[in-house]
Amino acid sequence: MRYGPCGGVRTGGGCEVVDEPCPFVGRPLVEWAGTELAPRAIELPRFLVDHRPTGDDRVDRQVLDDYAASGVAVLLGDHLDDPPAVDRVAAAERTVDAGVPTIATITGRDRSTDERAEMIDGLLAAGVAAVLCVTGDHPSARFTAHPDVTFVSEGTLLAGEVRSRGGRVAVAESPAAEPTRQRAARLVEKQRAGADIAVLNHSGPVADVIAFAEQASALGCRLPMYAPVPVMTDLASMAALEQFPGLTIADDAVNAMHTSSDPFSTGLDLAVAMAGELLGSGSIAGVNLSGVATSGGAVERGRVMRRVVDAVTA
């Protein structure tokens, strides 16, 4: 990596993969060395929902039809544990064809320059609103050691690659991951590299998210920011979010889930309250609803996400 750190720095400054300090923590911020580019406008709804295709076209279409009826956008990930049958370009084509505005992710993991170019071109031809450029999660962080995994690019460089191929660019940032004092400035560097919009990782209480947005704005960030809202309906769905290094769920929310006699209702109430507060702050362009949400399958998960949207907009 040249423009690190990634979003998975652990508490104390450790690497998410090996038991060593992150080499970017404690060093000056690496500034963008290429041509400085200005952000461009992207028209998107205020609600962005993480969408995990199942590989079952019938199920996926039902979920997408529900999202289209709700007027939300979807964020397609590039996850290690996605079903092998899921073709990411084809998945983007399906979401766009369903009438759902789409941000599709590309990572720097295990793709050559030619493979990245082919995927970017495919996503743009599918009609996605933007390509989310992230370094990508490493399997050793959540699963088992994978010494053969290689990262040939990273989020900031990918932003430049997508921009050079004519696409709108989304970037991620992890406000709660160390070095926290550099994260807002790092987002500005991604803007200079070609970013048009930012999607933030889970970073604790609403006040902390708003403070980050205001800090970034004061440093010159003009990117519309989509703030994270965890959607949790049981302890398992909360644990699924907590396993990611560099992500933080607010202590109050964690305690509420652990002590609730009705975690489903508590989780929904927490998500609705957080989304409403963020959208009402004036500092946030939209919210990103993410998380496993439920063990009831993709259709039920989609309905849970819709319930959050409907409650906030009621």
Side-chain angles (χ1 to χ4, degrees), residues 17 80 109-110 138-151:
V17 178
L80 285 159
R109 182 183 57 243
D110 283 337
H138 194 289
S140 296
R142 293 193 294 131
F143 305 109
T144 57
H146 284 65
D148 296 332
V149 172
T150 57
F151 287 79

Side-chain angles (χ1 to χ4, degrees), residues 38-42 163 167-171 194-198 222-224:
R40 302 154 297 173
I42 301 179
R163 183 73 180 252
R168 291 293 197 272
V169 179
V171 293
D196 301 300
I197 189 171
R222 293 184 285 128
L223 304 178

Side-chain angles (χ1 to χ4, degrees), residues 100-288:
V100 183
T102 303
I103 296 178
T105 305
I106 184 170
T107 73
R109 182 183 57 243
D110 283 337
R111 289 192 180 96
S112 67
T113 301
D114 289 343
E115 289 170 334
R116 292 195 306 276
E118 181 180 0
M119 183 173 178
I120 293 168
D121 289 345
L123 294 173
L124 298 182
V128 300
V131 179
L132 177 64
C133 302
V134 300
T135 303
D137 48 343
H138 194 289
S140 296
R142 293 193 294 131
F143 305 109
T144 57
H146 284 65
D148 296 332
V149 172
T150 57
F151 287 79
V152 188
S153 190
E154 56 179 303
T156 305
L157 289 173
L158 283 167
E161 291 183 38
V162 173
R163 183 73 180 252
S164 71
R165 305 190 79 81
R168 291 293 197 272
V169 179
V171 293
E173 194 52 74
S174 296
E178 295 192 30
T180 55
R181 287 179 293 181
Q182 288 185 358
R183 291 291 176 175
R186 186 167 183 258
L187 187 55
V188 175
E189 296 305 314
K190 290 183 178 181
Q191 174 180 286
R192 295 176 63 207
D196 301 300
I197 189 171
V199 181
L200 305 181
N201 284 335
H202 296 288
S203 44
V206 168
D208 289 359
V209 179
I210 294 173
F212 174 84
E214 292 176 346
Q215 180 188 10
S217 179
L219 292 174
C221 181
R222 293 184 285 128
L223 304 178
M225 296 185 207
Y226 276 70
V229 173
V231 182
M232 313 171 291
T233 55
D234 52 33
L235 296 183
S237 59
M238 183 173 70
L241 285 172
E242 291 182 306
Q243 69 177 313
F244 287 93
L247 273 62
T248 301
I249 307 300
D251 289 341
D252 288 349
V254 173
N255 292 336
M257 291 294 290
H258 276 295
T259 58
S260 176
S261 60
D262 183 4
F264 186 92
S265 296
T266 297
L268 284 181
D269 290 344
L270 288 168
V272 170
M274 186 173 187
E277 191 173 351
L278 286 166
L279 290 173
S281 70
S283 301
I284 299 299
V287 292
N288 175 208

